[in-house]
Amino acid sequence: MKTYRHRNRNALVLIATCLFLSGYVVNQAMSFDAHSGRAVVAGPASVRPVNGEAHLIIHRIANLGNRLIVDLRIDGAPVASIAYGRTYEGILSPGRHVISVLATPNARWKTPWKMTLDAQNGRTYNFTAVDGGSGHLILTGG
């Protein structure tokens, strides 16, 4: 009788773990664009701007290490956590936006690096998150 209960418990733990991990993978692959109220895919899929919106692409280079996550915020709202080997693709409404990045989980500097971007209709903005020296992440490109 104990063996049967033990097997049932192990099966339930395995099922719960699989469900949790499948939800985690979906959450990592999707991010929310706070400006348009739409979910966008973060990865190799193509996100096409509509209605004159701008296309934003942020690559995370591999030499940052596999434990560092790029915490991306647009206009102060959390947008994505870009892990090793991932790229964020999203859309921006035309106009001025503040884009910030911060190395997580254990950032040397607790203040994110920020830049202002004047997004224009139909343009694609392509950046790469790199180590700017002294522990700060910066975005290069444009």
Side-chain angles (χ1 to χ4, degrees), residues 19-43:
L19 289 173
F20 172 78
L21 290 176
S22 66
Y24 177 76
V25 169
V26 168
N27 190 30
Q28 288 297 318
M30 297 292 291
S31 62
F32 187 77
D33 183 14
H35 304 294
S36 66
R38 287 185 264 187
V40 295
V41 176

Side-chain angles (χ1 to χ4, degrees), residues 17-106:
T17 303
C18 290
L19 289 173
F20 172 78
L21 290 176
S22 66
Y24 177 76
V25 169
V26 168
N27 190 30
Q28 288 297 318
M30 297 292 291
S31 62
F32 187 77
D33 183 14
H35 304 294
S36 66
R38 287 185 264 187
V40 295
V41 176
S46 177
V47 177
R48 298 193 197 311
V50 293
N51 299 328
E53 295 166 322
H55 188 191
L56 177 65
I57 302 170
I58 299 179
H59 303 277
R60 182 206 179 278
I61 60 171
N63 72 355
L64 293 176
N66 60 358
R67 293 185 181 153
L68 184 134
I69 306 293
V70 176
D71 181 31
L72 173 66
R73 293 176 178 256
I74 299 176
D75 297 331
V79 174
S81 294
I82 309 169
Y84 182 84
R86 298 288 184 191
T87 295
Y88 170 80
E89 291 190 44
I91 53 175
L92 287 174
S93 59
R96 182 165 283 191
H97 298 281
V98 176
I99 299 174
S100 62
V101 289
L102 179 66
T104 58
N106 296 316

